[in-house]
Amino acid sequence: MNDVIITAIQQTLIEGNVETAETAARAALEAGVDAQTILNEGLMRGADIVGQQFEAGEVFLPQLMFTARALKAAMAIITPELKRLSAESGISSSKGRVVLATIQSDIHDIGKNIVSTMLTTGGFEVIDLGVDVPIKRIISTALDEGADIIGCSAMLTTSMPFMSDLIKTLEAMGQRERFKVMIGGASVTPAYAERIGADGTAANAVQALQLARQFMQNALA
Amino acid sequence: MDYLEIIDRSDSGEYISEENWDLEKVAMTCMRLVSQYDLKWDRQNLVPDDPALADRVFAAGLALAVEIGAYNRSSERILRFERDELESALRDMKQTLSMGQGADERVLFARQIEDSRPPLVWAGNPGAPHPEALFLPAVVSWAQEPIVDLITCGTLAEVDGREVRTGEALEITATRRELTYLHQALAHVGRPGMGMLAAQSSVSELGDLAAANPDYLRTCDAHLVPMLNELKIDNRNIARAVNSIEYGMRNGGLYCAISGGLGGDAPGCALISVASMILGLLTNRADYHILHPIHIRHVATSTREVLWVESVVLQAFARNAPAIIVTDVYPKSGALTRELLYETAANALAITVSGGHLEGCGSADGLVPHATGLEPRLMGEVGHAACRQGVTRAQANQWILQLMEKYEHVFRMPEGNPGARFDQAYDLETLQPLPEWTRMYEEVKTELKEMGLDLSG
Ligand code: B12
């Protein structure tokens, strides 16, 4: 029985349908399926399938975005139950919270948006601040929201220095240790990331998700 | 319709969040129109000889523009246009545009499909960052090529050893210095009046304002006003457009619709490209169009998807609303690789027979200074030969497929195929290609001749 319910949830995410995803999540809760199972086996698995299809070029950006949207909607339904469970067990169900932005002066956002969607479908809570975001705003949002990770995208060589500034500012504020900082964009290399003191970079959205997961695992370990 | 009307509509249009614009408006409408107009592509037919398809692509693109309009990201408002407003913008579209001055003046014109009039050759790697020491020699390397009609350039990522940051003081210095080098290069090759698309180092409005001066960008030159993906504009780019209108310079409307993005596969990208170019006449105040679709993963214009999009969009306009369309050649590979030359030849063939002018090469994805004057030379030679010889779309397609066999593997290379930096491919003293680079060029030319292209002229 649970299998049928779980498969149905996966299917709604593959279709990227907000209404059916909500209905399926609600039905699963009513049928007594554990919220953690709905999340991991249903929602995350479904989203993963679409993420892989996107990476393989089998589906396109809108499908991935619709899936992310359906995931967010279904998450809203199961979150109260997840919170109750984690209060009981003391284990958080959140995969992590990311503040993501295209850095000050840069307006390229295609890649950043894909990373944002991929992190969302990967279960991260993403606060996407958009493009041309001043470093002060990125930092204050990360502090206010209690983010685990700060993600910055820059495509322009002349915008990349602001990512270095961001890290220096975090250091100067004594807040560097609070966040993992990941950076990306077509001109960003691992050597550059290391030079400016970032915690990592990724060449595409799937690797960005892997990196973010790695950060969270290390944090738990 | 003047720019004041665009500003007014930017403030008064219907509000919509950006996410809803992307999904509800762009993605949903594209999905429907692609199926309604039966837009399909064929990976084996990249330069289709199918007038009905070209007409459907145009009709669908116009329908998209009418149905959803454009989005102002700054005000989060939709700019809507009536069908007759768009049609009248199309009717008023420039059919010729003079660039440059004096003996070096060239006139851009609306080309036709399989036009016997050769495309103009606009050389350079727009926007690729350069160390200062390489900038001038690189520009000379293409400005000196007799086949080149117009020039463009990369950006200065540093001046006097200091890194340039967008929106700060050195952006002004970098933009003016870039233009000083361009004028030096043109003087050096004896073609001071050549028209240019420049101020590439200007990322914000600062550089643009600083360059709008006859000693830097002249009124016979152009700069970019990009449309943002997809079908978006913002107030800062409207400001750039207005700056050049007030100054009297030309606006190049730049459209980088993504294949694999919000519109879906290649057909959706074609549809968005057409809509962008129609709307860009009003929102970007475009005097001419720069068509630069990109592939979501590989970026390059030499991918199957983008070759098809460039071809079909050029044909759509040539048949339905003749326009000046400068079409970008951004190969995956960089200098000193044979693949760069194959990619360039394939791209130049597709564009030339479909009705575009040639701009490039943004070698190595335009990310690094790995471009030289040799590949735009080949780009021009292939374009001219195709016209001289009366190459048809079917013939071009067949040759492109043969060329793809020689270069398509670059899209499977994890690090791309960036080749070598300018100074490893050219002699900095003589500003001529090094023997190995010349040899590759000669060999590829021989292969192209064996294939049947008449490069003797
Ligand atoms: C599309 C495009 C545009 C569009 C952008 C539209 C938009 N909404 O984003 C437009 C036309 C507006 C544009 C404008 C400009 N552009 Co532009 N643009 C491009 C182009 C062709 C493709 C970029 C792209 O979207 N690729 C597809 C996406 C999917 O890939 P991606 O961005 O690399 O993202 C992936 C990874 O990098 C990674 N990633 C990305 N972000 C992050 C973040 C994190 C945290 C992580 C972990 C990973 C990660 O994952 C992503 C998904 O796989 C590139 C060429 C290139 N080679 O990249 C030039 C390019 C980036 N542009 C360039 C330039 C110079 C400009 C302009 C300055 C031109 C001008 N003179 O006006 C302006 C800049 C305006 C500004 N203030 O930013 C140069 C930059 C050179 C440099 N290094 O400085 C490039 C390289 C090409 C070129 N030579 O012109 N551009």
Side-chain angles (χ1 to χ4, degrees), chain B residues 214-430:
Chain B
D215 290 339
Y216 301 98
L217 277 175
R218 304 154 301 185
T219 52
C220 61
D221 296 319
H223 78 148
L224 297 174
V225 183
M227 184 160 269
L228 315 177
N229 300 68
E230 300 294 4
L231 301 171
K232 295 174 198 165
I233 182 88
D234 64 10
N235 286 346
R236 302 179 69 170
N237 279 298
I238 295 177
R240 284 160 68 121
V242 169
N243 174 49
S244 66
I245 293 172
E246 291 295 338
Y247 175 50
M249 185 173 64
R250 286 99 169 90
N251 281 326
L254 171 64
Y255 313 103
C256 295
I258 309 178
S259 177
L262 290 178
D265 207 1
C269 175
L271 170 66
I272 292 178
S273 299
V274 170
S276 301
M277 288 160 70
I278 297 173
L279 290 162
L281 292 166
L282 298 172
T283 55
N284 298 40
R285 318 310 298 169
D287 293 300
Y288 71 97
H289 305 283
I290 306 172
L291 175 61
H292 184 169
I294 60 172
H295 185 282
I296 193 158
R297 192 152 302 111
H298 307 305
V299 182
T301 55
S302 51
T303 50
R304 285 180 197 254
E305 286 83 350
V306 177
L307 285 168
W308 183 86
V309 173
E310 288 189 343
S311 172
V312 87
V313 170
L314 286 168
Q315 295 188 51
F317 273 89
R319 290 181 51 82
N320 293 279
I324 299 170
I325 308 178
V326 176
T327 314
D328 274 350
V329 176
Y330 263 64
K332 191 79 200 167
S333 306
L336 215 61
T337 70
R338 303 172 80 86
E339 290 89 348
L340 169 55
L341 301 170
Y342 297 134
E343 289 179 67
T344 299
N347 237 162
L349 275 170
I351 294 166
T352 303
V353 301
S354 306
H357 294 282
L358 298 164
E359 178 168 87
C361 302
S363 313
D365 286 335
L367 280 174
V368 279
H370 291 201
T372 75
L374 201 57
E375 59 272 18
R377 185 200 295 172
L378 183 72
M379 174 176 86
E381 285 171 338
V382 169
H384 282 220
C387 292
R388 229 180 8 250
Q389 210 178 329
V391 173
T392 62
R393 280 159 287 174
Q395 179 64 79
N397 186 59
Q398 197 194 331
W399 287 339
I400 290 169
L401 294 179
Q402 277 173 255
L403 290 166
M404 294 212 84
E405 284 175 21
K406 297 174 194 261
Y407 76 75
E408 216 174 6
H409 61 268
V410 301
F411 302 121
R412 293 188 295 273
M413 292 163 71
E415 307 293 322
N417 188 31
R421 212 167 79 154
F422 174 77
D423 50 338
Q424 288 160 341
Y426 263 57
D427 181 329
L428 285 183
E429 292 292 310
T430 62

Side-chain angles (χ1 to χ4, degrees), chain A residues 54-55 57 60-62 65-66 69 72 105 107 109-110 114 131-132 156-159 161-162 165 186-187, chain B residues 19-20 23-24 27-28 73 129 157 163-166 168 203 228-229 236 258 260-262 265 296-297 367:
Chain A
F54 174 77
E55 213 19 55
F60 304 109
L61 193 53
M65 291 170 70
F66 282 121
R69 199 183 243 206
K72 276 192 218 163
S105 81
I107 59 167
D109 66 354
I110 301 166
I114 300 175
V131 299
D132 187 10
L156 299 169
T157 307
T158 50
S159 299
F162 296 115
D165 286 1
S187 293
Chain B
E19 187 188 329
N20 283 340
L23 281 177
E24 310 290 339
M28 300 288 259
R73 178 147 84 181
E163 72 185 7
V164 175
R165 291 158 169 244
T166 300
E168 296 190 354
V203 177
L228 315 177
N229 300 68
R236 302 179 69 170
I258 309 178
L262 290 178
D265 207 1
I296 193 158
R297 192 152 302 111
L367 280 174

Side-chain angles (χ1 to χ4, degrees), chain A residues 153-219:
Chain A
S153 183
M155 296 294 284
L156 299 169
T157 307
T158 50
S159 299
M160 282 160 57
F162 296 115
M163 304 201 291
S164 167
D165 286 1
L166 178 126
I167 292 171
K168 284 190 202 134
T169 307
L170 283 173
E171 278 164 2
M173 292 169 75
Q175 302 286 357
R176 178 66 186 87
E177 299 310 318
R178 276 184 67 170
F179 310 104
K180 291 286 177 191
V181 178
M182 61 176 186
I183 64 171
S187 293
V188 172
T189 59
Y192 179 81
E194 201 184 318
R195 178 146 49 87
I196 68 165
D199 296 298
T201 179
N204 59 46
V206 170
Q207 287 173 20
L209 175 59
Q210 282 162 0
L211 182 66
R213 284 187 172 150
Q214 208 176 304
F215 288 157
M216 297 312 292
Q217 269 161 15
N218 294 348

Side-chain angles (χ1 to χ4, degrees), chain A residues 9 12 17-30 73-74 77:
Chain A
I9 293 177
T12 64
N17 188 322
V18 169
E19 277 99 59
T20 55
E22 285 173 342
T23 316
R26 219 172 270 127
L29 285 178
E30 279 159 16
I77 306 280

